[in-house]
Amino acid sequence: KQEVTQIPAALSVPEGENLVLNCSFTDSAIYNLQWFRQDPGKGLTSLLLIQSSQREQTSGRLNASLDKSSGRSTLYIAASQPGDSATYLCAVANAGGTSYGKLTFGQGTILTVHP
Amino acid sequence: DARVTQTPRHKVTEMGQEVTMRCQPILGHNTVFWYRQTMMQGLELLAYFRNRAPLDDSGMPKDRFSAEMPDATLATLKIQPSEPRDSAVYFCASAQIGERTEAFFGQGTRLTVV
């Protein structure tokens, strides 16, 4: 059974800092990994998708890396802003069999960026 | 603007009542997920469908929950009878399994059972 862990559970930083959020998963047989953002009371917004054959993806100030063999992904946020405050969730999609594409989520990292 | 649409956005109901939540997946997507989110458990997968066929509903309490896809444009999640412990936010997501499998989520249905 796939298990996804995110560290830290919460993070509070001053504006302008570069920061790293971590995600680890137990079963390396994944199809892809997605990072989501969730604002309070809202749905999940997809930030970055990394296919299992890729090592990283970038979108603006966000960079996500994937090391499938070690079961790890990191989300790097450069020059953080108060608007980045949200919960960040990592999800892996299973590869193979009837569970193909099944998404398993971590518990999330609650990020607060203060001015 | 393709998006997953969920209705209702909010639902307050009395214990014992039937609740039906609806989801319209993105047109052309062949996979639909139902998740439940609570503070204690985070996001839990309840059920998911591929090409309208149920693939995995092991996360769903079978005695009171049921999920169906009557057609490709509609997925439903039903709770009968509802209980206070069912209070949560229920999310639907859809994806097209293929070269780029990216899941898109609806805004959720916030359910309160009193």
Side-chain angles (χ1 to χ4, degrees):
Chain A
K1 178 186 173 187
Q2 179 74 271
E3 292 182 3
V4 180
T5 303
Q6 291 188 244
I7 295 173
L11 185 62
S12 180
V13 299
E15 182 177 4
E17 274 203 9
N18 301 323
L19 52 96
V20 175
L21 308 182
N22 297 290
C23 171
S24 62
F25 45 95
T26 55
D27 185 350
S28 62
I30 66 168
Y31 185 67
N32 64 36
L33 184 146
Q34 247 179 293
W35 282 95
F36 292 87
R37 168 185 173 138
Q38 186 176 28
D39 293 291
K42 304 291 187 183
L44 280 70
T45 301
S46 179
L47 296 173
L48 288 166
L49 171 74
I50 312 177
Q51 302 285 18
S52 62
S53 58
Q54 297 176 318
R55 297 286 291 182
E56 65 178 331
Q57 280 288 322
T58 298
S59 176
R61 295 181 294 107
L62 304 180
N63 175 275
S65 66
L66 174 64
D67 183 343
K68 199 174 75 163
S69 61
S70 68
R72 296 179 188 277
S73 176
T74 61
L75 178 66
Y76 176 83
I77 303 177
S80 58
Q81 302 170 357
D84 295 330
S85 299
T87 298
Y88 290 80
L89 293 146
C90 162
V92 296
N94 284 12
T98 58
S99 295
Y100 188 82
K102 176 179 175 180
L103 281 177
T104 304
F105 279 84
Q107 291 285 73
T109 294
I110 301 171
L111 173 65
T112 303
V113 181
H114 47 87
Chain B
D1 182 27
R3 66 179 69 186
V4 176
T5 303
Q6 290 186 247
T7 56
R9 291 292 311 278
H10 303 273
K11 176 73 175 179
V12 180
T13 191
E14 291 185 348
M15 182 173 64
Q17 295 298 305
E18 179 178 297
V19 175
T20 298
M21 291 169 270
R22 294 177 173 79
C23 169
Q24 181 177 354
I26 292 174
L27 189 64
H29 281 189
N30 65 358
T31 302
V32 174
F33 304 90
W34 280 107
Y35 285 89
R36 174 170 64 185
Q37 187 176 42
T38 60
M39 289 292 291
M40 293 298 294
Q41 300 296 327
L43 274 161
E44 301 174 279
L45 179 67
L46 297 175
Y48 80 113
F49 295 79
R50 178 138 320 124
N51 299 319
R52 295 175 56 201
L55 283 188
D56 185 347
D57 61 1
S58 59
M60 203 164 65
K62 302 289 192 308
D63 56 336
R64 299 184 299 107
F65 284 61
S66 61
E68 295 179 344
M69 279 202 74
D71 61 61
T73 65
L74 177 65
T76 62
L77 180 66
K78 190 175 294 186
I79 308 174
Q80 168 63 23
S82 57
E83 298 180 2
R85 60 180 167 152
D86 301 328
S87 298
V89 181
Y90 291 81
F91 286 105
C92 173
S94 73
Q96 176 59 30
I97 301 297
E99 186 174 328
R100 180 181 171 83
T101 299
E102 184 172 6
F104 294 88
F105 277 70
Q107 289 298 297
T109 294
R110 182 173 296 275
L111 174 65
T112 303
V113 183
V114 298

